[in-house]
Amino acid sequence: MTSQVSSPAEQADGAVVGEQRKPAGTKDVRKLDRVIIRFAGDSGDGMQLTGDRFTSETASFGNDLSTLPNFPAEIRAPAGTLPGVSSFQLHFADHDILTPGDAPNVLVAMNPAALKANVGDLPRGAEIIVNTDEFTKRAMQKVGYGASPLEDGTLDGYNVHPVPLTTLTVEALKEFDLSRKEAERSKNMFALGLLSWMYHRPTEGTEKFLKSKFAKKPDIAAANIAAFRAGWNFGETTEDFAVSYEVAPAVHAFPVGTYRNISGNLALSYGLITASRQADLPLFLGSYPITPASDILHELSKHKNFGVRTFQAEDEIAGIGAALGAAFGGSLAVTTTSGPGVALKSETIGLAVSLELPLLVIDIQRGGPSTGLPTKTEQADLLQAMFGRNGEAPVPVIAPRTPGDCFDAALEAARIALTYRTPVFLLSDGYLANGSEPWRIPELEELPDLRVRFANGPNHTLEDGSEVFWPYKRDPQTLARPWAIPGTPGLEHRIGGIEKQDGTGNISYDPANHDFMVRTRQAKVDRIEVPDIEVDDPHGAGTLVLGWGSTYGPITAAVRRLRAAGVPVAQAHLRHLNPFPRNLGTVLGRYEKVVIPEMNLGQLATLIRAKYLVDAHSYNQVNGMPFKAEQLAAALKEAIDG
């Protein structure tokens, strides 16, 4: 959905403020500046759909927002167990926000497992909406409750709303020809209707979505809409909910433009399509499904009308092999994966380095090693992207900072790959891939021109005066070799993984030539033009917080908190990790302390220490979740004072 908003104003993450007014009816309406809601239940309870619909309506209303879907790792864990809990957290506000929020103000718990898995994250005084129908003795024992937490005083510090969601849903749908089990499946829509009433969310979009989703099953569509409306009416009429809440649109948070809610993987997909159109090249994706990258394959497969070809290969090696073949054939070639898949693709990435062909390797990072934590986030593939190949095989590396920034990162990765004839790593992660935020749809004139010139004839004159084509004769500025489409008369040339002779591209085992080619490939990456890093330092601080990738939101929120408390601190964030911006060394040298928060054990810090001899301080977290702003602010304050 899209909405129009006006010019920007920077604000810190706000606190809830209370102001009551009487509506036309009998219930109070309280104005808030921000709210954090978490929906939680079994993986089959539809919590992701519920959260997604609430998010879409919130985006259309004009709030700034940030989301954190949290999936169970098991495909289908036993119902009612802690490993099977699925949740969706949404932070929305009337001002500029950066993270999905540290602690929910509202928890919707569909069963005892959802309550137990999430109650520890709630601040005292938070609201808990509980589906009491699921709090049976057996269900509570399954997660270790000896007595009902709804009755034993466990939740005395919270504002608890016991709601028989299942019973109310079944009752609302009794006019439909549905079994009880079928009717119960709509309880998430009842909950969505209730929360939509509580926070004055629009409803038209959800009803339109349900009609479209179940267009081939109109009875199911009608039942879900009825459950949704019943939840809304329940909030309006029940005495347990005496107050509803308003969060005004974020009219001063963004530049003027047309906005839509977008996830990181969707933004990446749109960025790849846009890059192919701006390059006037067909887009080819060779991929093998893997969490959390599969959504890119799913999305791109819908866009054949834009010249997109998607190939679901039998394994990771075949996926990148096909992509590299497409690059040789003149396509904008992409392969998508996560950390385990990068390990399998490493030999072919090295081949792409040797062939010097443009190829985008998109790594949506997740917890490792091995299978690790498939549905949890991490940014621990940086060193693998930098060095995870045999021999000297340098590859440029870039990383987006927010879900919406994935669009621009895809364009930048394509620019580098096409201009310098090299594979490029794009390091996103599960937090960005599944999270969402408002994104301004760019104007056409803002998009870069990525068109390339293919070789079309001889490019070298021999001593005897004859003209020939040399596949490894380089552009003097970029050191890129010519890109010759197979089948072009006179441009036949040898490819393969064995070392090439400079210029001619013939196989060469000459030691001096190998030394030259290794150094030339490195020099090509080193001379890639990237923007200087920008530093946010309004107070002349002595400490710089340096980040990369998805830590941008939590770091920026933490820095805002410190500055609001009178603590001077500077911030800089890296998009280009290989090569680093040329001014990075100068920037680092201006500060007494450099602190690098990462969701790994210090991989960027290792690179910074090695290259710049800076005693960078690491702050690390590898628990499968993004940093919390309050936690990070406390750690940074300790580092500044230490």
Side-chain angles (χ1 to χ4, degrees):
M1 294 192 175
T2 59
S3 58
Q4 294 281 343
V5 299
S6 59
S7 60
E10 175 137 338
Q11 301 182 38
D13 279 353
V16 176
V17 294
E19 176 189 327
Q20 292 190 4
R21 65 178 177 82
K22 281 283 187 180
T26 58
K27 293 192 176 184
D28 289 329
V29 177
R30 183 174 300 162
K31 290 186 177 180
L32 308 175
D33 72 346
R34 68 180 178 97
V35 174
I36 304 169
I37 298 175
R38 184 181 296 176
F39 299 93
D42 261 335
S43 57
D45 284 339
M47 293 297 93
Q48 302 304 322
L49 175 62
T50 304
D52 183 68
R53 289 314 313 159
F54 195 95
T55 299
S56 294
E57 299 297 355
T58 296
S60 69
F61 187 71
N63 295 120
D64 193 12
L65 61 89
S66 180
T67 68
L68 178 62
N70 192 7
F71 307 95
E74 290 81 358
I75 293 175
R76 189 67 177 95
T81 62
L82 293 175
V85 173
S86 175
S87 67
F88 188 105
Q89 184 164 306
L90 166 68
H91 183 189
F92 61 102
D94 65 2
H95 59 276
D96 176 24
I97 59 172
L98 298 155
T99 73
D102 289 356
N105 308 113
V106 183
L107 171 66
V108 179
M110 302 298 281
N111 60 20
L115 176 65
K116 186 158 190 177
N118 292 282
V119 70
D121 292 337
L122 303 181
R124 306 304 272 181
E127 296 196 67
I128 304 176
I129 300 172
V130 182
N131 180 14
T132 55
D133 288 329
E134 298 298 322
F135 278 71
T136 63
K137 183 177 180 180
R138 183 172 181 272
M140 289 186 290
Q141 288 177 341
K142 191 179 293 187
V143 295
Y145 281 129
S148 173
L150 307 180
E151 300 172 355
D152 65 1
T154 300
L155 304 178
D156 284 351
Y158 306 99
N159 186 12
V160 180
H161 302 278
V163 180
L165 284 172
T166 307
T167 299
L168 290 171
T169 302
V170 171
E171 180 66 20
L173 302 184
K174 63 182 181 181
E175 65 183 85
F176 294 89
D177 186 21
L178 300 173
S179 67
R180 180 178 178 86
K181 185 175 182 179
E182 289 172 330
E184 288 178 359
R185 290 175 182 164
S186 297
K187 62 181 180 290
N188 64 324
M189 288 297 105
F190 188 100
L192 178 60
L194 173 57
L195 269 293
S196 297
W197 171 83
M198 282 184 67
Y199 292 97
H200 296 254
R201 299 297 91 184
T203 61
E204 295 82 1
T206 293
E207 294 195 9
K208 183 179 179 181
F209 167 82
L210 291 171
K211 290 177 182 177
S212 174
K213 181 177 178 63
F214 299 107
K216 296 181 179 180
K217 298 179 179 179
D219 291 344
I220 299 298
N224 277 284
I225 292 171
F228 177 67
R229 292 174 176 173
W232 177 283
N233 293 332
F234 177 77
E236 182 69 31
T237 57
T238 183
E239 295 182 2
D240 192 38
F241 293 91
V243 178
S244 64
Y245 304 92
E246 279 186 356
V247 180
V251 294
H252 300 296
F254 311 111
V256 174
T258 302
Y259 285 77
R260 58 156 295 161
N261 183 51
I262 201 165
S263 68
N265 275 351
L266 184 58
L268 251 175
S269 301
Y270 288 174
L272 293 171
I273 296 171
T274 303
S276 76
R277 293 298 82 212
Q278 293 301 107
D280 196 21
L281 296 174
L283 178 65
F284 180 91
L285 173 66
S287 183
Y288 179 76
I290 184 172
T291 301
S294 300
D295 287 342
I296 302 172
L297 172 62
H298 300 160
E299 182 61 33
L300 290 181
S301 68
K302 303 174 184 177
H303 297 287
K304 297 180 180 65
N305 56 314
F306 287 111
V308 178
R309 293 184 179 182
T310 53
F311 170 56
Q312 180 175 322
E314 66 268 28
D315 56 36
E316 295 281 5
I317 299 170
I320 189 173
L324 186 55
F328 178 58
S331 292
L332 177 59
V334 185
T335 189
T336 53
T337 189
S338 190
V342 173
L344 292 166
K345 295 178 188 291
S346 62
E347 182 180 6
T348 308
I349 297 171
L351 176 59
V353 172
S354 175
L355 296 180
E356 300 189 47
L357 287 171
L359 174 68
L360 304 188
V361 181
I362 296 177
D363 177 7
I364 313 297
Q365 301 166 96
R366 70 188 203 189
S370 187
T371 308
L373 305 176
T375 61
K376 308 302 179 184
T377 196
E378 204 165 276
Q379 50 177 184
D381 292 349
L382 176 56
L383 295 183
Q384 179 178 222
M386 287 287 293
F387 307 119
R389 293 164 295 284
N390 63 297
E392 295 287 346
V395 175
V397 181
I398 69 170
R401 60 176 60 182
T402 67
D405 188 47
C406 290
F407 177 88
D408 295 314
L411 288 170
E412 176 66 355
R415 177 191 73 85
I416 293 173
L418 295 171
T419 303
Y420 296 89
R421 310 286 196 269
T422 177
V424 177
F425 260 104
L426 190 154
L427 296 181
S428 181
D429 59 41
Y431 173 35
L432 296 183
N434 298 316
S436 62
E437 66 175 356
W439 172 65
R440 186 179 71 85
I441 301 172
E443 301 295 333
L444 288 177
E445 58 269 19
E446 298 172 3
L447 300 174
D449 184 352
L450 300 178
R451 287 174 294 181
V452 297
R453 292 180 60 187
F454 291 110
N456 57 13
N459 62 357
H460 184 75
T461 303
L462 297 176
E463 292 181 1
D464 62 4
S466 59
E467 294 185 338
V468 297
F469 174 67
W470 274 16
Y472 280 82
K473 184 169 184 175
R474 301 180 183 279
D475 181 287
Q477 298 299 320
T478 65
L479 297 183
R481 79 175 185 91
W483 194 2
I485 300 298
T488 305
L491 303 190
E492 297 86 358
H493 60 283
R494 187 185 303 273
I495 63 169
I498 299 177
E499 185 63 280
K500 310 297 187 302
Q501 185 181 53
D502 177 45
T504 68
N506 296 328
I507 289 176
S508 173
Y509 291 96
D510 177 64
N513 178 78
H514 177 59
D515 183 272
F516 178 81
M517 294 294 279
V518 166
R519 295 179 187 276
T520 301
R521 287 188 289 262
Q522 182 64 58
K524 182 172 68 169
V525 172
D526 290 341
R527 69 169 56 187
I528 291 173
E529 293 186 7
V530 303
D532 283 349
I533 191 169
E534 297 181 358
V535 183
D536 176 19
D537 185 6
H539 306 112
T543 298
L544 172 70
V545 184
L546 180 67
W548 70 279
S550 67
T551 57
Y552 173 78
I555 288 175
T556 307
V559 165
R560 287 183 181 181
R561 294 188 183 204
L562 290 174
R563 290 176 180 170
V567 180
V569 60
Q571 178 189 0
H573 209 78
L574 286 166
R575 162 174 281 178
H576 297 88
L577 297 154
N578 190 33
F580 286 130
R582 286 172 172 75
N583 69 330
L584 180 57
T586 303
V587 167
L588 295 173
R590 295 206 302 257
Y591 293 91
E592 298 173 9
K593 293 181 181 178
V594 177
V595 183
I596 304 179
E598 299 181 77
M599 292 188 294
N600 56 49
L601 294 182
Q603 297 189 15
L604 176 61
T606 297
L607 297 175
I608 293 295
R609 291 189 188 110
K611 185 171 180 63
Y612 299 106
L613 303 181
V614 170
D615 185 21
H617 300 268
S618 287
Y619 181 70
N620 309 117
Q621 172 178 297
V622 280
N623 62 4
M625 298 295 289
F627 285 112
K628 292 182 177 180
E630 182 178 2
Q631 156 209 0
L632 195 50
L636 295 177
K637 180 66 164 59
E638 184 178 344
I640 292 169
D641 294 341

